[in-house]
Amino acid sequence: MVVLNGGGLCTHESDCTSRAKTDLGTNKVWPKGFPLDSVAFLSTDERNPFRDWNLVFAPYCSGDMHSGQRTEATNETFGLYFSGYHNAMGTFSAVMLFVLSLML
């Protein structure tokens, strides 16, 4: 299972820039680990039907619902990148490469 963590969409400059230095705007402040048991469908609880599935957890920090395709920070983007699509595709590519390496 691939989980793209939610985090909301920022819609205007003050909203986007205020969250840019938080865990919803940068990976620099993320904790070293994530408490998966804090999310019901990620937990190891015996009632969770997904508890034995392989899991890839992709954190969120782009402010664009994993859909932004910017490759440069510009005045139009308040000096921010909004590259969530590229983050998601990079995650999927890394997972596929890992899975393929197991098959060789």
Side-chain angles (χ1 to χ4, degrees):
M1 175 189 315
V2 176
V3 177
L4 298 176
N5 192 34
L9 173 69
C10 67
T11 57
H12 54 280
E13 184 172 7
S14 63
D15 180 26
C16 296
T17 56
S18 68
R19 61 193 269 155
K21 291 185 171 53
T22 72
D23 62 341
L24 294 177
T26 179
N27 66 350
K28 294 178 181 176
V29 297
W30 287 345
K32 296 291 182 199
F34 182 84
L36 296 178
D37 275 346
S38 69
V39 180
F41 69 94
L42 302 178
S43 78
T44 55
D45 187 297
E46 65 182 34
R47 296 170 292 179
N48 176 7
F50 308 111
R51 70 184 172 278
D52 294 325
W53 289 30
N54 292 321
L55 173 69
V56 174
F57 180 79
Y60 180 81
C61 70
S62 57
D64 60 13
M65 297 178 14
H66 300 284
S67 64
Q69 297 185 39
R70 300 288 183 146
T71 57
E72 294 182 20
T74 66
N75 288 338
E76 183 182 7
T77 62
F78 325 120
L80 305 172
Y81 282 89
F82 301 106
S83 297
Y85 171 83
H86 300 295
N87 296 342
M89 290 301 106
T91 299
F92 298 144
S93 294
V95 169
M96 291 305 299
L97 288 171
F98 177 74
V99 169
L100 289 173
S101 74
L102 297 175
M103 300 170 125
L104 298 177

